């Protein structure tokens, strides 16, 4: 039996006017689509520019953008996974646009911070940015940009 989740109900409600099927078939389709999408993204490599363009397309364009940068690190066994990313903030949620996988543990360097900003400016024109938010780790990059 399929889980009774808000996502399942949302998909069923959106599909129902377009797919005139019996409720059980519609329910199956609503449950199958997220699994299919997850499988696709698990096996596909998407260019960051395509991800950023898609995210920006989905957001309202009436305002200049608030960009937040952050770094997250965890370990997979003994291997450090260290990601430095720039995200667009909308309604209190940060949506990743571009990122750099750091091949080391620990904080970013000024050069890595500048590299992330260069990647960001390839997908977002500077005049479209209202502010870039960062924590104290990124204080060294201000003079380098």
């Amino acid at each position: 039996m399929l889980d009774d989740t808000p996502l399942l109900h949302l998909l069923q409600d959106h599909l129902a006017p377009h797919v005139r099927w019996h409720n059980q078939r519609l329910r199956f389709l609503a449950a199958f689509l997220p699994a299919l999408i997850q499988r696709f993204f698990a096996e596909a490599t998407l260019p960051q520019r395509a991800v950023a363009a898609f995210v920006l397309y989905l957001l309202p364009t009436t305002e200049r953008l608030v960009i937040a940068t952050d770094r997250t690190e965890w370990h997979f066994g003994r291997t450090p996974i260290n990601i430095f990313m720039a995200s667009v903030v909308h309604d209190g949620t940060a949506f990743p646009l571009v990122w750099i996988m750091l091949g080391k543990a620990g904080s970013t360097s000024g050069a890595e911070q500048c590299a992330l900003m260069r990647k960001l400016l390839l997908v977002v024109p500077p005049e479209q940015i209202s502010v870039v938010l960062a924590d104290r780790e990124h204080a060294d990059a201000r003079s380098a940009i």
Side-chain angles (χ1 to χ4, degrees):
M1 181 177 204
L2 300 172
D3 289 340
D4 197 30
T5 65
L7 176 61
L8 182 65
H9 290 289
L10 178 71
L11 286 172
Q12 279 182 263
D13 291 346
H14 282 288
L15 290 169
H18 307 287
V19 181
R20 306 241 183 239
W21 287 352
H22 184 270
N23 277 345
Q24 286 305 101
R25 287 179 188 249
L26 188 60
R27 187 175 169 86
F28 171 79
L29 182 62
F32 180 71
L33 284 175
L36 182 65
I37 292 168
Q38 183 178 1
R39 176 76 181 239
F40 171 79
F41 283 110
E43 296 178 2
T45 303
L46 294 175
Q48 285 186 32
R49 285 179 135 178
V51 172
F54 181 66
V55 168
L56 292 169
Y57 173 78
L58 293 175
L59 293 176
T61 57
T62 57
E63 301 174 8
R64 292 174 64 201
L65 302 175
V66 173
I67 302 295
T69 63
D70 201 10
R71 182 187 58 83
T72 184
E73 179 181 350
W74 67 93
H75 285 79
F76 184 70
R78 293 180 184 227
T79 305
I81 308 295
N82 199 352
I83 305 171
F84 182 40
M85 68 179 60
S87 303
V88 61
V89 179
H90 179 70
D91 284 343
T93 302
F95 299 93
L97 294 176
V98 293
W99 55 91
I100 296 173
M101 300 295 295
L102 304 173
K104 62 175 186 168
S107 62
T108 58
S109 67
E112 291 162 334
Q113 295 163 12
C114 289
L116 183 70
M117 289 299 106
R118 283 192 294 276
K119 281 182 103 169
L120 176 67
L121 293 174
L122 290 174
V123 296
V124 179
E127 58 274 3
Q128 202 175 354
I129 298 172
S130 172
V131 65
V132 176
L133 305 171
D135 61 17
R136 65 177 181 226
E137 177 180 334
H138 312 297
D140 296 337
R142 286 184 295 176
S143 61
I145 296 178

